[in-house]
Amino acid sequence: MTTTNIPGTDTTGDAANAAGPSTAADGTAAEAAGALMGRLFGAALGAAELFTVYLGEVHGIYRAIDEAGPITASELAERTGLDHRYLVEWLQSQAISGLLTIDGSDVWTDRFDLAPGVRVALLEPTSPVYAGGLAAIVPAVGRSFPQVVAAFKSGAGVPYAAYGEEAVAAQEMLNRPAYVNSLAAEWIPNVPGLHDLLTKGARVADLGTGAGWSAIELAKAYPAVHVDGYDNDEDSITRARRNAAEQGVADRVGFEVRDITEVLAGGTQYDLITFFECVHDFAHPVEALVAARTALAPGGRVLVMDERADEQLQAPGDEVQRFLAAASTIWCTPQGRVDEDSDIVGAIMRPHQLRHLAEHAGFTKVDVLPIDHPFWRFYELTP
Ligand SMILES: C[S@@+](CC[C@H](N)C(=O)[O-])C[C@H]1O[C@@H](n2cnc3c(N)ncnc32)[C@H](O)[C@@H]1O
């Protein structure tokens, strides 16, 4: 008798026998299928929960609960102006998922509050454990996904803009905490001589700056530096300008919509050029690195932060590698292929690949810097 219809849980062997004589290979395959089903169920659960978290973020529901304290669905509807019936459903799902507490068992009348950890993880965008960006990824991918599906046949790229404003917001939310907490406090002190260079004053270019947080945090930490941030995405640069103004550094941090390959020699000569999590995204990475090399002042330095892809393929890989590889397939690679003759590397950019690109761009040396991070690896490129 089969104990359950979930693959891999048949302890009697009846299911395998029904299909013919069983072999050890059948048993192993059935167990593997069962394990995979369990794993994919976990992934489906995670994706569904991320959508509900995004609803809570985009409509300010977590914030409203935090401000009001324990609150009923009706009070919350009044406070937020959101539809009462949808709110009841959302509150119930959040309580079942453990993101909210409920002081009883009636979702229509009892009071909900934030569960421990939710305020820091979802309402404090500069906290080192801020997780709001993870939820913002799903609507961005959802928006672009029909184009990604079609692109697998046509070979076309899918522009960053097709992922919508949620994509830029997600990118900003994901990386800002690290720039706020680690860039000046931890990373720069680990690059020999860089702290002194920035302290005495330097002209910096931050290429592929996105919403500008790396440029802004550099300027905040080093009052004598001037940073030019460049990105070819208009929405990102609009946000970057607004962020710089809000942080009070707009006089020393400028942002321009520009393709990296246009930041060429003959313009400003930079003492430091930074690429934060973007070389792997570029349609033309060698040209971008050439642009950086030729825009350096004498003695100028180039810092690259990019994904911590394993040095060599490990299959299957760990969770970080799985995330990077999946993101590369649905996000980085389609975006980088918008140029027809794209040479995008994708998020699985291994150190030997960056060395190869840098060599072709005329750099003589690539050093991996002694900075530990679960997702990123840091390099210095020497002309
Ligand atoms: C993964 S995001 C990183 C953004 C930012 N550095 C951060 O850490 O949040 C990559 C960025 O590279 C930009 N980008 C891609 N290709 C570019 C190009 N050819 N010229 C300028 N920017 C480019 C994208 O618009 C995007 O903002």
Side-chain angles (χ1 to χ4, degrees), residues 171 175 179 208-209 231-232 258-260 276-277 281-282:
Q171 183 62 51
N175 285 7
Y179 299 137
T209 191
D231 200 288
N232 63 357
R258 208 181 290 179
D259 194 282
I260 299 307
F276 286 104
E277 212 205 1
D281 281 317
F282 292 150

Side-chain angles (χ1 to χ4, degrees), residues 33-46:
L36 179 59
M37 188 206 181
R39 171 177 149 185
L40 293 181
F41 173 73
L45 165 64

Side-chain angles (χ1 to χ4, degrees), residues 46-47 50-52 54 133-143 170 331:
L50 281 179
F51 277 109
T52 67
Y54 183 73
L134 295 172
I137 294 172
V138 282
V141 173
R143 192 188 276 260
W331 187 284

Side-chain angles (χ1 to χ4, degrees), residues 24 30 72 88 111 285 290 309 357:
T72 65
V88 168
R111 295 187 173 275
V290 168
L357 296 173

Side-chain angles (χ1 to χ4, degrees), residues 53-79:
V53 170
Y54 183 73
L55 285 168
E57 284 180 350
V58 76
H59 287 305
I61 318 177
Y62 295 117
R63 175 83 55 203
I65 297 172
D66 187 45
E67 286 168 0
I71 189 167
T72 65
S74 307
E75 289 165 353
L76 194 59
E78 192 157 321
R79 195 177 174 97

